[in-house]
Amino acid sequence: MISIAEAPGKIILTGEHFVVHGAQALAAAINKRIRISSSFSPNNNITYKNQRIHSTNYNIKNDPVYVVRNKTLEYLGEKSPLSITVDSGIPRGSGLGSSSALCVATAASISSLFNTKLDRKTLFNLAMYGEKKIHGNPSGIDVATSIMGGIISFRKGFDPKRINLKHNPELIVSISGKRRKTSNMINKFTNFRNEKPHSFHSLVNSSNTLTKKTLSALSQKDYLAVGSYFNFFNSTLNYFGLSSLATDTVIEKCLELGSYGAKITGGGGGGSIIAISPSKHVGVIVNELNSMNYETFSVKLPQKGVKVWLTN
């Protein structure tokens, strides 16, 4: 018997980094997923399918799959050796939540193998063990989005809320190709907070206000306003040094080709960007960025969260 779980990656619409420090943020699941297959085995092993692992630097104890597997088995009170296969459709280091999807799918797959369906809170807590191993002090927004799917409003320490719209916004997602480490980007924000606490507090409050305005504009299908908020958030992230030549180039091209707004999504320092555009321009922009060798796709919201099934 094989237990299979698929979990989606994510994009941050507003409030990245500020969410680590208590601000409200908006996030959405995307149409790229990670699949984890687990089965009983004579020996424990983890196999990465279609993904190169540098063996000289690889330490299994730092592998989030290893961490989440152990914590999930501990929670279940089980010790059976398992074979786990990872099949990822989300580029690593792209800012699209590959690590959170990996951790969520691992815990969901293993628990299902033992005929246990985890409640949302338990699944979140187990997946966070792996996230913390990678990112140090994550907010949990990536994990929550991967579990719940759709669009969510998230604030650290509070239950995430699902946002239901009467329409299906379509966003452009473009991967810059420049990998970065999220924990380094988080540290940049933390250092600024420590050096200028009053200025930082003002920015957190501003982020909260703009997130609420973005949510209101989304609800009213006012994509022009959503785009303006995207542009403002991007300027703020640039101020913190989280832009790169690659992301600046992609954002500029999106705006040139008619996007209402575009911004870095996730950790910054590379990674990916999102853009909101008139529907007639989406295909043109996606094709143009792909022709420039930036992997680009569109996503219609909402997308489903983690799903699990058994097979022989």
Side-chain angles (χ1 to χ4, degrees):
M1 182 173 64
I2 302 173
S3 175
I4 301 172
E6 281 189 353
K10 66 85 184 72
I11 49 176
I12 305 290
L13 305 182
T14 67
E16 51 263 273
H17 287 292
F18 292 111
V19 70
V20 176
H21 302 278
Q24 182 185 1
L26 297 177
I30 60 172
N31 49 353
K32 287 189 178 292
R33 308 174 72 88
I34 283 181
R35 173 180 288 194
I36 296 287
S37 304
S38 62
S39 59
F40 297 110
S41 172
N43 301 297
N44 281 314
N45 61 78
I46 301 170
T47 302
Y48 282 83
K49 191 176 179 181
N50 302 322
Q51 190 171 332
R52 183 180 297 176
I53 300 295
H54 299 290
S55 57
T56 53
N57 300 323
Y58 181 74
N59 182 344
I60 193 169
K61 292 184 178 180
N62 293 327
D63 190 323
V65 174
Y66 174 87
V67 173
V68 174
R69 180 194 67 188
N70 291 352
K71 289 295 183 180
T72 304
L73 289 174
E74 181 183 321
Y75 172 80
L76 296 170
E78 300 286 352
K79 295 183 178 179
S80 302
L82 302 177
S83 176
I84 297 175
T85 300
V86 180
D87 188 0
S88 177
I90 309 172
R92 294 175 66 192
S94 63
L96 298 180
S98 63
S99 64
S100 58
L102 181 70
C103 295
V104 168
T106 298
S109 173
I110 292 171
S111 60
S112 177
L113 189 63
F114 289 93
N115 298 312
T116 300
K117 183 177 180 180
L118 300 174
D119 61 71
R120 187 185 295 169
K121 185 175 181 180
T122 302
L123 180 54
F124 177 88
N125 290 336
L126 291 172
M128 282 297 288
Y129 283 110
E131 273 287 270
K132 289 176 180 177
K133 186 69 177 179
I134 301 168
H135 298 312
N137 181 36
S139 67
I141 189 171
D142 291 16
V143 169
T145 307
S146 190
I147 292 170
M148 294 175 64
I151 305 171
I152 70 165
S153 172
F154 183 92
R155 192 166 187 176
K156 193 174 182 180
F158 296 84
D159 290 337
K161 297 179 181 178
R162 189 187 303 277
I163 305 299
N164 295 311
L165 302 177
K166 295 180 180 179
H167 51 94
N168 304 104
E170 184 175 16
L171 299 180
I172 294 166
V173 183
S174 187
I175 303 169
S176 72
K178 181 180 179 182
R179 293 180 59 182
R180 80 292 175 275
K181 194 172 182 180
T182 300
S183 57
N184 292 341
M185 303 300 109
I186 291 175
N187 289 338
K188 278 192 173 187
F189 258 60
T190 302
N191 291 339
F192 182 85
R193 180 198 64 184
N194 294 338
E195 292 170 4
K196 299 179 180 179
H198 298 295
S199 296
F200 189 84
H201 181 68
S202 297
L203 286 171
V204 170
N205 289 338
S206 298
S207 179
N208 275 329
T209 299
L210 286 173
T211 290
K212 291 173 183 177
K213 287 183 175 293
T214 304
L215 179 54
S216 176
L218 268 176
S219 299
Q220 297 171 32
K221 204 176 179 180
D222 186 352
Y223 296 156
L224 180 60
V226 172
S228 70
Y229 299 136
F230 278 10
N231 290 334
F232 188 85
F233 269 107
N234 192 66
S235 297
T236 304
L237 295 172
N238 282 346
Y239 172 77
F240 282 97
L242 300 179
S243 62
S244 68
L245 179 59
T247 53
D248 285 348
T249 299
V250 176
I251 286 172
E252 182 65 23
K253 180 57 69 173
C254 286
L255 296 175
E256 177 190 328
L257 294 176
S259 290
Y260 294 131
K263 64 181 282 292
I264 298 164
T265 184
S272 300
I273 67 98
I274 59 173
I276 190 162
S277 313
S279 57
K280 63 182 179 180
H281 295 329
V282 170
V284 173
I285 295 171
V286 168
N287 290 337
E288 178 65 20
L289 292 176
N290 276 313
S291 74
M292 295 168 64
N293 295 319
Y294 294 107
E295 183 182 347
T296 305
F297 57 97
S298 66
V299 54
K300 284 190 176 182
L301 306 180
Q303 294 288 322
K304 292 183 178 179
V306 62
K307 60 180 181 178
V308 189
W309 67 96
L310 297 171
T311 185
N312 294 320

